[in-house]
Amino acid sequence: MGILEDKSRARLFYKYLSKVYDQVNPFIWNEEMRAEALELLALDPDDRVLDVGCGTGFGTEGLLQYSDDVHGLDQSIHQMEKAFEKFGKTDEVNFYRGDAERLPFADDSFDAVWSSGSIEYWPNPVDALAEFRRVVKPGGSVLVVGPNYPSSSLFQRLADAIMLFYDEAEADRMFAEAGFDDVQHVTMGPSYNPEIAITTLARVPDA
């Protein structure tokens, strides 16, 4: 387990990163990548959508272009304070402080779940994905963006020491264990590394 796959360390990390997150983020996860992922999710305007690990609201901002019923959850109050400045606490978006592995919502509460740049910090990603499946209605979609596993053995060792990086095979395993159907993957990234991120779209089985 990487050093940032610990919730207290991750919160401390984001306490300081939140000050510059919106300036640094475009070099790793930019608007073009977000738009490509949103097209995959294919939301309807009346869909109730949850953004898990919403952070400062970069993904949330994209979701608002497709739905008027967007909810955001994060464990870092410092990140969320930046999102409050953009959207208010309950104006455009309803925000909640919480844990991806223990979502504070009833079964079948959402039409879709989006999570970008969060899975790499979850100590138990299958548990979190199972929670996504629980809160999404049958037939609904879940989209997760995470860091693609490096091809270089040197960078693999470095990645493993920091946080969760994974490839398509590992994503297949995690989503299958969490009970999803129709799992598909797309790699994406900025021009300097077009495969830096792995985006996984999966469907909650019909009842």
Side-chain angles (χ1 to χ4, degrees):
M1 180 179 290
I3 60 172
L4 291 180
E5 288 177 87
D6 174 275
K7 293 172 186 177
S8 60
R9 290 193 195 118
R11 283 193 295 269
L12 181 62
F13 174 70
Y14 271 109
K15 176 180 179 180
Y16 296 101
L17 184 62
S18 63
K19 301 178 188 301
V20 296
Y21 184 86
D22 286 340
Q23 289 71 48
V24 173
N25 191 49
F27 294 100
I28 303 169
W29 174 237
N30 58 37
E31 291 185 5
E32 290 77 13
M33 296 164 66
R34 182 183 68 186
E36 184 179 352
L38 284 164
E39 286 297 316
L40 292 173
L41 191 55
L43 295 171
D44 291 328
D46 59 350
D47 280 345
R48 189 170 193 246
V49 187
L50 176 63
D51 182 0
V52 175
C54 61
T56 65
F58 180 72
T60 315
E61 183 180 29
L63 292 169
L64 286 168
Q65 298 173 19
Y66 291 81
S67 171
D68 295 325
D69 193 359
V70 177
H71 303 255
L73 177 139
D74 203 283
Q75 69 160 342
S76 169
I77 190 60
H78 300 93
Q79 289 281 84
M80 292 176 71
E81 284 171 350
K82 299 293 184 181
F84 298 160
E85 293 173 7
K86 299 174 184 176
F87 311 109
K89 289 186 179 180
T90 57
D91 297 336
E92 295 180 77
V93 180
N94 289 306
F95 286 103
Y96 315 83
R97 189 176 183 190
D99 188 331
E101 296 173 8
R102 294 186 296 275
L103 295 177
F105 307 106
D107 295 358
D108 305 338
S109 294
F110 297 94
D111 297 291
V113 165
W114 160 287
S115 184
S116 54
S118 182
I119 188 174
E120 55 265 38
Y121 303 105
W122 304 341
N124 304 292
V126 173
D127 291 348
L129 293 174
E131 278 289 270
F132 290 12
R133 181 182 180 277
R134 179 183 67 79
V135 302
V136 172
K137 298 173 184 176
S141 297
V142 166
L143 184 145
V144 176
V145 183
N148 200 11
Y149 200 56
S151 56
S152 161
S153 59
L154 173 63
F155 283 109
Q156 287 174 0
R157 289 194 294 273
L158 179 62
D160 290 340
I162 299 172
M163 57 191 181
L164 175 67
F165 285 71
Y166 58 95
D167 57 14
E168 291 189 8
E170 178 63 5
D172 281 336
R173 181 194 68 79
M174 293 190 294
F175 276 82
E177 285 191 18
F180 286 95
D181 285 342
D182 300 333
V183 180
Q184 57 182 290
H185 314 286
V186 176
T187 54
M188 55 182 65
S191 57
Y192 70 86
N193 188 347
E195 296 186 347
I196 197 172
I198 179 169
T199 298
T200 301
L201 179 68
R203 189 178 65 86
V204 175
D206 294 322

